[in-house]
Amino acid sequence: MDATTVLAEINGNIATVGYGLAAIGPAIGVGIVVGKTIEGVARQPELAGRLQVLMWIGIAFTEALAFIGIATYFIFV
Amino acid sequence: MNDARAEADRTPTSNPVLRRALAWGAVLAGVILVVSAVLGFVFAGVPGLLGGLIGTLMAVVFMGITAASILAANRFASSDLFVGAFFGIVLGGWILKFIVFIVLVVVLRDAEWLNPTVLFLSLVAGVLASLVVDVLVVAKSRLPYVSDVELPKAPSED
């Protein structure tokens, strides 16, 4: 067995990498959304209510991709 | 003066919007539940029906947990630890939700009694529908800029 074959050998299901990717994206997205909300509330605490709604809609869109990405486990063999 | 400030309602103005989004999300979930169950039954029999029901429920419940967690966290609005409690509850709820979701996906994947394809499709439909509801509710909401502000009282005569 030559070196390239040894290096390229992968055990287990490659779909596992997909779950990792489906977790990275939303983690970064929600981190940015929440961090910016904290910034905004720190600058203008009286806008907390408005900023919460914007944060919530941002989280909703970000996590929608995560749900669909993780749920692809149902259809990909 | 200090007592009056302490007693003032500090609940953020986002509560009515989030409540409305949850209510309309529940209404739309009922519609999608019926449609996906009927379509699943037509195309895949009883396993399709169960897949449609569970997929829609998973989508709507897990998407609704964010708004519910914000509503729950806003109950601590008058606390000194509000900011920490708020982000702790919202983000803690978020990560718990995803752990439960991944466990559910792994458990339901090999279940014989439901159709995974119908489940996936109805889950995507539920997620998209709940996004549509969220955007519509926010677009139609009226959020005052200044309602969290306590205006100074007129000085009393005595």
Side-chain angles (χ1 to χ4, degrees):
Chain A
M1 199 186 294
D2 61 307
T4 314
T5 315
V6 173
L7 285 176
E9 185 181 344
I10 292 179
N11 286 319
N13 193 342
I14 187 65
T16 315
V17 180
Y19 312 144
L21 291 175
I24 290 175
I28 297 174
V30 169
I32 292 176
V33 170
V34 171
K36 291 288 179 185
T37 308
I38 295 175
E39 256 178 43
V41 174
R43 285 170 193 264
Q44 284 176 289
E46 71 274 15
L47 286 187
R50 293 176 65 87
L51 293 174
Q52 273 181 18
V53 170
L54 296 177
M55 180 192 82
W56 163 66
I57 203 99
I59 290 180
F61 272 92
T62 316
E63 74 185 356
L65 282 177
F67 280 133
I68 295 174
I70 293 172
T72 50
Y73 187 49
F74 282 115
I75 53 168
F76 295 156
V77 178
Chain B
M1 186 67 185
N2 279 334
D3 289 344
R5 284 181 64 85
E7 287 167 12
D9 185 14
R10 289 167 182 273
T11 308
T13 47
S14 56
N15 274 10
V17 180
L18 297 171
R19 279 210 195 88
R20 210 175 312 133
L22 279 180
W24 280 107
V27 170
L28 198 75
V31 176
I32 295 178
L33 205 66
V34 172
V35 171
S36 62
V38 168
L39 285 180
F41 186 72
V42 167
F43 287 106
V46 174
L49 184 143
L50 289 172
L53 289 179
I54 293 176
T56 314
L57 276 180
M58 277 170 73
V60 173
V61 168
F62 282 102
M63 292 294 283
I65 285 178
T66 311
S69 69
I70 296 178
L71 279 175
N74 277 347
R75 299 169 75 94
F76 298 96
S78 55
S79 159
D80 289 338
L81 298 172
F82 176 51
V83 175
F86 178 82
F87 290 107
I89 291 173
V90 173
L91 293 179
W94 198 79
I95 199 165
L96 268 182
K97 166 172 77 175
F98 266 96
I99 290 171
V100 172
F101 185 75
I102 290 175
V103 169
L104 265 181
V105 166
V106 171
V107 168
L108 292 179
R109 164 72 192 264
D110 296 322
E112 296 286 326
W113 43 273
L114 55 76
N115 185 322
T117 309
V118 175
L119 197 157
F120 175 75
L121 290 177
S122 56
L123 195 143
V124 171
V127 166
L128 293 181
S130 113
L131 281 181
V132 170
V133 168
D134 294 355
V135 169
L136 285 181
V137 167
V138 171
K140 285 174 181 293
S141 67
R142 293 283 177 271
L143 275 174
Y145 273 104
V146 291
S147 66
D148 292 347
V149 169
E150 298 154 34
L151 295 176
K153 304 270 192 312
S156 57
E157 295 297 321
D158 50 17

